[in-house]
Amino acid sequence: MPSHLPLSWAFLLSATWSRTLPDKNELANACYFTYRVGYVICDASLGPEAAQKEMEAGRCNADFRLMGSDFQRLVLKHYMEGGRPPLEEAMWLLTSSENFQTRTLSECPPMQILANMLYGEALLYLDGPSRDGESAMLVAQAIEQTKRVQPEVLNALARTWPLDMATHRFQETFLALQGMAKGDRKLDLVHFVLCRCDEDLSWLEELLEGMQAGGVYLYETCGHDERLKDGFFEKLSPEVVSGATAKGPKGSCPAQIALTHVLRYKLDFPEFLLFLPSAAPLEQERYFYQLVLNSLLSHTLTADFVALGSTRAPPVSLDMCQRSLIQSGVLPIWNYPLGYEGSRFLVSAKRLVESIDRVASLMAAFAESGCTTVELEEAIANWWHIVFGEPAQLPIRAEDERLPMFLRVADGPSGFSRTRMPKSSDYLNWAATDLDET
């Protein structure tokens, strides 16, 4: 259970209200609409005393308020309609100091209870289902918190907040994942594919530290690198393919190499195949990679395709090569393609099998297109979701009900991207930190 300040910001918390605690009927109606939890956010690099001085001088951000009615709307939409899970908001509640959590519990109990339930369910995918793990502890704490609410108040709250639905969802997820989980935490059925020229791959060493990867396939686009004989990569024993002279942008695999790799292993697909660029990921991207890897280790990942980029690809005019690919009919595109930027994604064996004919046809279309390698790479860079059977307009990750809930994080680095909040994700920071400590 989180017990210290978020990694991304130093902040001071205060709950504010306009009058005394309401009666049970008004409390049930969003804990009365004026209830809010206010945050004063200072530079994370400052110590407590320095942050206090900055706050008193008015140099910290005091704009953010987490409203009880807003949180109620988000959790209802999530549990009843499949809307995005408010993981970011839940982490703000869970990482506040203990006395303020106690205060929130007394003034607006469902906010604190459902924050525990949401993060507890997310951890089922990351740590695996366990009756004595952190997810179980969070849910036990949520149940204990409900017992501290007066029965008549709790009954009123249960009519307007999805308390029962959250409990049932956690139980259903626990049982479903329990049936999937295996004993060994290995990545023996996961393949990593990267293309590199001269990029430093130490970030991959950090990401896979202590893991038993099933296979690492490294396509060298600038010739053999003697550094691969050292330490970490020698232990991984990557399969190195030299002589692949085409280079993708930012260390990504050129389209032909990626497609050729799929065709090469069409009779022996791994359980999951990950294509990653060799360029070091941004901090939030690395955290997202970690969530995916830990779910793979726990054998709880059920998605057939996951875009691993953090930024949505913007609409741009189609070039000649893209129009040619669409006109060829190889890719099922009937409206404007939209997805995530970059050749970084995870695809399951099931989806690879279903897409193999399309991959072969796409290779033939490339050969007939007359486009250069660079043009082809640019043409397909943001369309990999279509190649592997996703709709041309890939849903926004946070709104995609097909994804397991722990991956449904907001686009970009922050769920508060339209505010003056620091542009980072408290949920990703916390989840990745929890993984580092296990």
Side-chain angles (χ1 to χ4, degrees):
M1 173 65 196
S3 60
H4 53 276
L5 292 181
L7 300 179
S8 48
W9 315 299
F11 68 83
L12 294 172
L13 171 70
S14 63
T16 58
W17 59 96
S18 60
R19 54 189 174 82
T20 59
L21 193 65
D23 63 30
K24 64 179 182 181
N25 292 322
E26 193 175 1
L27 180 62
N29 193 15
C31 304
Y32 62 96
F33 290 108
T34 55
Y35 185 82
R36 59 192 182 274
V37 181
Y39 295 83
V40 178
I41 308 164
C42 299
D43 188 336
S45 64
L46 300 176
E49 293 183 3
Q52 180 71 24
K53 291 180 180 179
E54 289 293 293
M55 183 189 70
E56 292 172 353
R59 289 190 287 267
C60 295
N61 188 330
D63 288 349
F64 184 66
R65 299 290 184 271
L66 182 55
M67 303 292 293
S69 54
D70 287 343
F71 192 68
Q72 182 191 40
R73 174 180 54 81
L74 289 169
V75 291
L76 281 170
K77 188 174 180 63
H78 170 60
Y79 286 110
M80 298 184 71
E81 302 176 17
R84 76 163 177 95
L87 294 167
E88 205 71 44
E89 292 83 351
M91 290 309 302
W92 277 74
L93 290 165
L94 292 178
T95 53
S96 54
S97 60
E98 185 175 352
N99 63 317
F100 280 108
Q101 291 190 49
T102 301
R103 183 170 176 176
T104 303
L105 180 63
S106 67
E107 296 171 348
C108 191
M111 293 182 72
Q112 205 64 42
I113 293 168
L114 288 169
N116 279 285
M117 296 299 297
L118 283 163
Y119 192 47
E121 185 181 348
L123 286 182
L124 286 176
Y125 293 94
L126 303 176
D127 296 335
S130 169
R131 297 189 182 278
D132 56 3
E134 185 175 357
S135 59
M137 185 186 72
L138 284 163
V139 173
Q141 179 165 299
I143 293 173
E144 189 275 333
Q145 288 172 340
T146 63
K147 295 178 180 178
R148 294 160 59 182
V149 182
Q150 295 178 1
E152 62 274 16
V153 173
L154 185 62
N155 289 336
L157 291 169
R159 291 195 292 270
T160 55
W161 290 78
L163 299 173
D164 290 338
M165 294 184 71
T167 303
H168 292 154
R169 248 277 294 279
F170 180 87
Q171 293 172 339
E172 290 173 356
T173 303
F174 183 96
L175 293 174
L177 297 182
Q178 190 177 44
M180 295 172 52
K182 304 173 184 177
D184 295 334
R185 286 175 62 86
K186 296 182 187 178
L187 294 174
D188 52 345
L189 295 177
V190 179
H191 288 183
F192 298 81
V193 180
L194 302 94
C195 294
R196 75 186 289 268
C197 177
D198 56 1
E199 295 87 3
D200 180 10
L201 292 178
S202 58
W203 66 268
L204 183 62
E205 177 176 358
E206 296 173 2
L207 190 68
L208 297 180
E209 185 178 5
M211 299 181 183
Q212 300 181 47
V216 176
Y217 300 83
L218 193 61
Y219 288 83
E220 286 283 30
T221 58
C222 292
H224 185 65
D225 191 336
E226 290 296 321
R227 290 178 294 175
L228 294 176
K229 294 181 179 180
D230 297 335
F232 171 72
F233 285 102
E234 188 173 10
K235 294 178 183 177
L236 274 183
S237 299
E239 182 174 330
V240 181
V241 181
S242 299
T245 56
K247 292 191 294 184
K250 299 180 181 178
S252 63
C253 275
Q256 296 98 318
I257 291 179
L259 297 173
T260 299
H261 183 90
V262 172
L263 293 173
R264 179 183 177 190
Y265 290 94
K266 66 181 180 180
L267 299 178
D268 188 27
F269 283 137
E271 188 174 344
F272 288 98
L273 190 62
L274 276 82
F275 282 87
L276 297 172
S278 54
L282 300 174
E283 182 180 53
Q284 301 304 316
E285 290 174 340
R286 182 176 66 83
Y287 289 159
F288 193 72
Y289 291 178
Q290 281 187 287
L291 299 194
V292 171
L293 288 179
N294 222 66
S295 183
L296 290 171
L297 280 168
S298 298
H299 305 282
T300 59
L301 189 61
T302 56
D304 286 319
F305 183 90
V306 179
L308 299 177
S310 63
T311 307
R312 193 80 169 169
V316 294
S317 299
L318 299 178
D319 60 25
M320 180 191 69
C321 290
Q322 289 173 322
R323 290 196 296 269
S324 174
L325 289 175
I326 293 175
Q327 291 168 1
S328 72
V330 174
L331 296 177
I333 298 176
W334 295 279
N335 51 15
Y336 194 92
L338 289 173
Y340 286 87
E341 286 187 340
S343 302
R344 62 188 78 192
F345 53 87
L346 172 144
V347 59
S348 70
K350 174 178 177 290
R351 191 61 66 81
L352 286 167
V353 170
E354 294 171 350
S355 306
I356 195 66
D357 290 341
R358 186 182 303 115
V359 169
S361 298
L362 191 56
M363 284 290 287
F366 278 177
E368 297 171 1
S369 68
C371 298
T372 67
T373 298
V374 173
E375 289 172 333
L376 288 172
E377 170 58 32
E378 292 177 350
I380 204 72
N382 302 327
W383 290 7
W384 285 108
H385 61 287
I386 307 173
V387 174
F388 292 110
E390 294 292 303
Q393 293 189 324
L394 187 69
I396 294 172
R397 184 182 294 123
E399 302 294 338
D400 193 345
E401 293 184 65
R402 301 168 304 162
L403 291 177
M405 64 91 74
F406 81 102
L407 290 179
R408 295 178 61 186
V409 296
D411 284 348
S414 175
F416 306 111
S417 57
R418 295 183 180 179
T419 73
R420 290 174 54 196
M421 301 289 283
K423 302 303 184 284
S424 59
S425 166
D426 210 31
Y427 164 69
L428 285 177
N429 288 352
W430 263 110
T433 303
D434 280 352
L435 302 186
D436 286 341
E437 293 173 352
T438 57

